[in-house]
Amino acid sequence: MNDSAMTGEARLKARRNRLWAFSGMGFLIAIIVGLATGFAGDLYEDGSLPAWSIYAIWALVVAAFTWFTISYFRRVDELDLMDNMWATLIAFYFYVVAMPSWYMFDIIGLAGTPQDKVIYLATLAVMFIAYGARKLGLR
């Protein structure tokens, strides 16, 4: 069927399905790349892989992530883009408050040393919660 002959709802559904497929494929590739980079890290630690290859893998992964991000934002509509931007801004604000706060509490002896992985995962959680809230219409 010709795209121009489709109804607006049908075009929107097809576009949404393509976006879900693109995002799902990106997620699957990210899992595979994560496993592969972990394996490469083990090979480097064993002395089987030279250091330059880790840098090359890192550069390829960053380039692929950048390409995916640009492609993703070209595929989403203005509302999805706005929801993404709000979620990332809220997550950034969380990080800007959480990291120095934890560091301050550590310095004065009220908390342990800041844990980067905890703050990283908490920032991601805040971003996904903010994005979900936006999608639910909680603006």
Side-chain angles (χ1 to χ4, degrees), residues 3 101 120 131:
D3 190 53
S101 296
Y120 175 80
Y131 182 78

Side-chain angles (χ1 to χ4, degrees), residues 55-73:
Y55 291 118
I57 291 167
W58 175 81
L60 288 171
V61 168
V62 170
F65 180 76
T66 302
W67 173 85
F68 177 83
T69 301
I70 291 168
S71 296
Y72 175 81
F73 282 119

Side-chain angles (χ1 to χ4, degrees), residues 9-27:
E9 288 179 3
R11 283 194 304 269
L12 179 62
K13 183 177 179 182
R15 181 178 178 185
R16 179 66 58 193
N17 288 341
R18 285 191 306 270
L19 180 62
W20 276 107
F22 177 78
S23 297
M25 186 60 69
F27 182 70

Side-chain angles (χ1 to χ4, degrees), residues 15-91:
R15 181 178 178 185
R16 179 66 58 193
N17 288 341
R18 285 191 306 270
L19 180 62
W20 276 107
F22 177 78
S23 297
M25 186 60 69
F27 182 70
L28 181 63
I29 291 170
I31 290 171
I32 293 167
V33 168
L35 293 171
T37 56
F39 182 68
D42 288 344
L43 290 176
Y44 169 73
E45 288 177 353
D46 291 344
S48 304
L49 204 60
W52 66 264
S53 62
I54 299 299
Y55 291 118
I57 291 167
W58 175 81
L60 288 171
V61 168
V62 170
F65 180 76
T66 302
W67 173 85
F68 177 83
T69 301
I70 291 168
S71 296
Y72 175 81
F73 282 119
R74 286 183 176 160
R75 293 167 190 265
V76 297
D77 62 17
E78 301 82 25
L79 294 176
D80 282 330
L81 180 63
M82 185 175 64
D83 293 342
N84 271 281
M85 296 303 169
W86 270 103
T88 54
L89 181 64
I90 290 168

